[in-house]
Amino acid sequence: MYYEIFFMRYKFILFFVLLFTIPHLTKAETKNIDIQTFSLDSLLLNTEVDLRINYGFFVHHHFDMKSYPADFPMFELSFQKQTYGRSEWQSYFNYPTIGVSAFYSNLGNIDILGKAYAVYPFISFPFNKSKINTFGFRFGVGLAYLTEKFHHTENYKNTSIGNNLNAAISLTFEYKRQIADRYKISFFAGLTHFSNGCSNFPNSGYNIINAGISGTYLLNKPKNYITRETSHNKNFKKIVPEYYVGLSYGVKRIKYQQKENIAVYDLEFYVMDRVSNLSKVGLGIDLVYNKCSYISVREYYSRTFTFIEMLKPSIGLAYELTMGEASFLINFGYHIYGRDMSGGRWYQKLGFKINIGDHAYAKVALNTHFGVADFLGWGLGIRL
């Protein structure tokens, strides 16, 4: 019981630390690359300060949100580094920008919603690379603190947030224009999401559509890009498929003031094969065991079900986007069988994986049913 309470309270902090170490966990391509010694100049190398001002509005994904504010301001201050190809994956990804952002919004300045504070690492992928104009996509995941949450008597109108501490996800399309040697201006639009990953009830979360403008200042002279020839995809046909076997664990609550954390387990078997320098695709099987299902089926059945009967065997498609030893994961699957299908048979996973040595990995993934969170799973596995 005590380890589950500790895990629930601090899992988002562990997730933040894991994501923040992306640049340091990827293997560097050291051949023909100068090794930087630590100094103030190296610390500020390709470092930028970015200030974002934008407006957002709530996506009303359930009826109770109709009373939420029509629009509200949002502010972000970011420190970011423009990669230049020191690691091989950086040139493959067209030299993305990596950074960390501090976020604030008053969420319309009403008492039931409170204010939102967030800190999250992010990576920005450019679709093109130009000295003047750049189009790209930015993705960030981190921690959010929301000052108000649901309470059955004091704040019953907030039916979206059950925890003060939540995950923060930012998805943004952006256009950048160089206006001087060290200055850029950007226009962007995207989605910001806050939720607790179903670790407490309620968990409808906030989905915010936002758009705005930003100004960026480069602190030091930029580093010249290191260019490499991209390997032909035909070389990857010679690589044998990889086999993944892993076990994930999560906790969730499905009722208000539920004192006990309910465990969820996901045993996965996947086979993955490379289709390009950066991508893997594959097929797999998931065996999900969710103790919450016992609560759900009591409302419909009078008898007790066995452990085997409560398993959810599933099949799925998987996609993995690799960056050295780090990867982003997207899975889309179907529950073949299960006594509790209250969330639906189709499911999705959005996750992050780090390779540990040559044959092990750690991962974290949010399991959803078309945007409705099921559970946040933390896992370890082996690859053969």
Side-chain angles (χ1 to χ4, degrees), residues 114-149:
K115 297 177 175 59
Y117 303 88
V119 177
Y120 60 86
F122 65 85
I123 183 168
S124 180
F125 298 99
F127 298 141
N128 69 309
K129 205 65 182 177
S130 167
K131 292 183 178 180
I132 303 298
N133 301 300
T134 303
F135 295 90
F137 173 74
R138 193 175 90 156
F139 171 70
V141 180
L143 285 171
Y145 182 82
L146 306 179
T147 59
E148 298 295 333
K149 62 180 181 178

Side-chain angles (χ1 to χ4, degrees), residues 91-241:
S91 59
Y92 286 155
F93 278 102
N94 211 8
Y95 311 100
T97 300
I98 298 173
V100 60
S101 184
F103 171 97
Y104 167 77
S105 177
N106 63 16
L107 298 178
N109 201 26
I110 62 175
D111 293 337
I112 62 173
L113 302 183
K115 297 177 175 59
Y117 303 88
V119 177
Y120 60 86
F122 65 85
I123 183 168
S124 180
F125 298 99
F127 298 141
N128 69 309
K129 205 65 182 177
S130 167
K131 292 183 178 180
I132 303 298
N133 301 300
T134 303
F135 295 90
F137 173 74
R138 193 175 90 156
F139 171 70
V141 180
L143 285 171
Y145 182 82
L146 306 179
T147 59
E148 298 295 333
K149 62 180 181 178
F150 173 81
H151 190 275
H152 67 289
T153 57
E154 298 178 4
N155 197 9
Y156 60 89
K157 291 185 178 180
N158 186 338
T159 57
S160 299
I161 296 297
N163 273 358
N164 292 117
L165 191 62
N166 291 263
I169 300 175
S170 176
L171 308 171
T172 305
F173 290 94
E174 56 188 2
Y175 162 71
K176 297 180 181 180
R177 182 173 179 83
Q178 193 84 33
I179 57 175
D181 288 342
R182 295 194 179 186
Y183 295 92
K184 298 177 186 175
I185 189 170
S186 302
F187 302 92
F188 57 88
L191 172 71
T192 301
H193 174 76
F194 300 123
S195 74
N196 61 46
C198 214
S199 63
N200 207 347
F201 183 87
N203 182 48
S204 298
Y206 295 149
N207 291 314
I208 303 170
I209 300 295
N210 57 282
I213 187 172
S214 75
T216 306
Y217 174 69
L218 179 64
L219 297 179
N220 207 341
K221 292 182 180 180
K223 181 76 174 180
N224 292 330
Y225 294 127
I226 300 173
T227 59
R228 295 181 180 87
E229 291 186 13
T230 303
S231 300
H232 295 295
N233 288 342
K234 65 182 182 181
N235 296 332
F236 290 104
K237 295 181 180 179
K238 301 176 183 179
I239 298 179
V240 297

Side-chain angles (χ1 to χ4, degrees), residues 17 25 30 72 76 81 84 91 111 161 175 185 190 195 204 206 222 236 242-243 252 286 290 322 345 354 365 372 384:
V17 172
L25 291 171
T30 57
F72 46 88
E76 291 184 56
K81 270 184 173 288
Y84 59 92
S91 59
D111 293 337
I161 296 297
Y175 162 71
I185 189 170
S195 74
S204 298
Y206 295 149
F236 290 104
E242 294 179 309
Y243 299 90
K252 63 183 296 184
D286 285 283
N290 185 351
T322 62
R345 291 188 178 271
I354 286 286
V372 179
L384 306 173

Side-chain angles (χ1 to χ4, degrees), residues 239-278:
I239 298 179
V240 297
E242 294 179 309
Y243 299 90
Y244 292 76
V245 181
L247 178 64
S248 295
Y249 168 81
V251 295
K252 63 183 296 184
R253 298 184 181 185
I254 60 175
K255 293 184 177 181
Y256 178 65
Q257 290 186 327
Q258 179 179 319
K259 296 181 179 180
E260 180 183 2
N261 296 318
I262 301 178
V264 185
Y265 301 92
D266 183 2
L267 182 62
E268 63 180 15
F269 306 88
Y270 275 82
V271 56
M272 305 291 293
D273 198 6
R274 281 189 181 269
V275 293
S276 74
N277 288 312
L278 309 173

Side-chain angles (χ1 to χ4, degrees), residues 14-23 121 139-142 328 352 364:
L14 295 173
F15 192 20
F16 170 75
V17 172
L18 183 65
L19 285 178
F20 187 70
T21 58
I22 289 176
F139 171 70
V141 180
F328 288 106
F352 175 78
V364 57

